[in-house]
Amino acid sequence: MDQLLPSVFNGLILGAFYAVVALGLSLIMNLTGTINLAHTSFLTLAGYLAFSLVLAGSPYWLALILAPLLTVVVGIIAERTLIRPLYGRDPIYSLLLTFGLALVAEEAFRLIWGANGVPFTPPPSLAGTVQLGFMAYPVYRLFIALVLIIVIAALTLFLRGTQFGLRLRAAVLDSEMIAALGTNTQLLYMINFGIGILLAGVAGVLSAGLLGLNPTSGNALLMPAFICVIIGGMGSLLGSIAGGILIGVVIALTTLYIPAASEVSMYILMAVVLSIRPRGLFGEEGLFG
């Protein structure tokens, strides 16, 4: 029982990680129908860019901001040149394209930064532990939790409190109507894609200091992120957040009581949820409806 509360706490932070990555996936899928299998490649790219910036003398805090923004630039170039021609087509085309893109990115990481992992240590101010009452907890994990909460809150405010956010949400429901009202939908698609990549970039820099950095380090987050979207329900950003938190807690508790089943627990959870609610917890009629 002594380990229960710390495990739940760890699960909430892990779940917030999954939720931020899943939100990026969900934003891109909801608006354009693009199934982005290269999403976590952008996550890994952001980690490597932050590593290179720090190696070149940049403060960690500056790298935490610059690396995701530079990753957005790369993402927008990919969206304009490769992914945009596939809008409106069967999602299988974007799935195949981004699968190939992920393989190319993985080899590019090996060529540029080497096949082995590289060290990316958070600054000394984020080292050590802090006493929470029920346990001593690493400062860096608390910092990650704070950043993820800020990112999720900022995205929610942006989508619900700004004109651009309202247009994005309206375009998900009826992009043709939004275009008929004079909105530049191609610009809308590009910015939406950039926001999705920005979320992956932030998660990439944070995870690099926690999980390490190597050419395939982002792959471990891809499947959990997709399962978050499925459990939460296609078309629902709230569902992606709820799915991420749920998966994180279930994995943490399974690791505590049945370690051998920790990997498979999220698939069992998905099967249980879909058997009760085939469209997921907050699923809407949408992409695959």
Side-chain angles (χ1 to χ4, degrees):
M1 285 300 290
D2 292 343
Q3 295 298 317
L4 180 60
L5 196 54
S7 293
V8 171
F9 202 72
N10 280 329
L12 290 173
I13 293 178
L14 179 64
F17 241 127
Y18 292 156
V20 167
V21 180
L23 279 171
L25 276 173
S26 193
L27 276 172
I28 295 169
M29 274 198 295
N30 291 348
L31 185 59
T32 64
T34 301
I35 301 174
N36 185 14
L37 290 183
H39 197 66
T40 51
S41 298
F42 291 107
L43 183 149
T44 306
L45 174 62
Y48 272 123
L49 289 175
F51 166 75
S52 295
L53 286 168
V54 171
L55 202 63
S58 167
Y60 173 84
W61 310 104
L62 184 61
L64 178 61
I65 297 170
L66 281 183
L69 293 177
L70 291 173
T71 306
V72 168
V73 173
V74 176
I76 286 178
I77 292 173
E79 190 269 349
R80 292 286 86 179
T81 57
L82 300 173
I83 298 173
R84 179 182 178 184
L86 302 182
Y87 289 161
R89 296 193 178 189
D90 192 307
I92 190 68
Y93 290 106
S94 63
L95 189 149
L96 292 173
L97 172 71
T98 55
F99 178 68
L101 192 59
L103 294 178
V104 171
E106 193 174 309
E107 290 305 313
F109 297 151
R110 286 195 176 91
L111 286 173
I112 298 171
W113 286 285
N116 298 321
V118 295
F120 186 70
T121 308
S125 58
L126 296 177
T129 60
V130 61
Q131 184 56 243
L132 297 180
F134 56 91
M135 65 175 175
Y137 203 74
V139 174
Y140 186 62
R141 285 177 180 257
L142 288 177
F143 170 73
I144 288 175
L146 177 64
V147 173
L148 294 177
I149 290 171
I150 292 173
V151 166
I152 292 173
L155 178 66
T156 304
L157 288 174
F158 174 75
L159 292 176
R160 296 190 175 278
T162 67
Q163 284 293 325
F164 192 87
L166 291 174
R167 288 181 185 178
L168 272 181
R169 292 164 57 204
V172 170
L173 297 175
D174 194 337
S175 59
E176 291 183 359
M177 179 61 73
I178 289 296
L181 293 174
T183 298
N184 184 340
T185 53
Q186 293 302 317
L187 180 63
L188 204 66
Y189 294 163
M190 184 185 75
I191 295 176
N192 180 70
F193 193 90
I195 294 171
I197 298 302
L198 181 65
L199 295 174
V202 172
V205 179
L206 294 175
S207 67
L210 183 67
L211 307 174
L213 192 57
N214 64 65
T216 61
S217 56
N219 294 351
L221 294 171
L222 182 62
M223 191 52 68
F226 269 108
I227 293 178
C228 288
V229 175
I230 294 170
I231 288 178
M234 295 287 184
S236 172
L237 297 182
L238 174 62
S240 295
I241 297 173
I245 298 297
L246 196 55
I247 288 177
V249 172
V250 167
I251 288 178
L253 292 179
T254 309
T255 302
L256 176 63
Y257 292 111
I258 317 172
S262 60
E263 288 289 329
V264 77
S265 61
M266 61 181 174
Y267 299 102
I268 295 173
L269 176 64
M270 179 175 68
V272 170
V273 170
L274 293 184
S275 66
I276 299 170
R277 293 183 62 85
R279 288 192 181 280
L281 296 175
F282 302 93
E284 300 170 1
E285 190 80 21
L287 183 63
F288 299 113

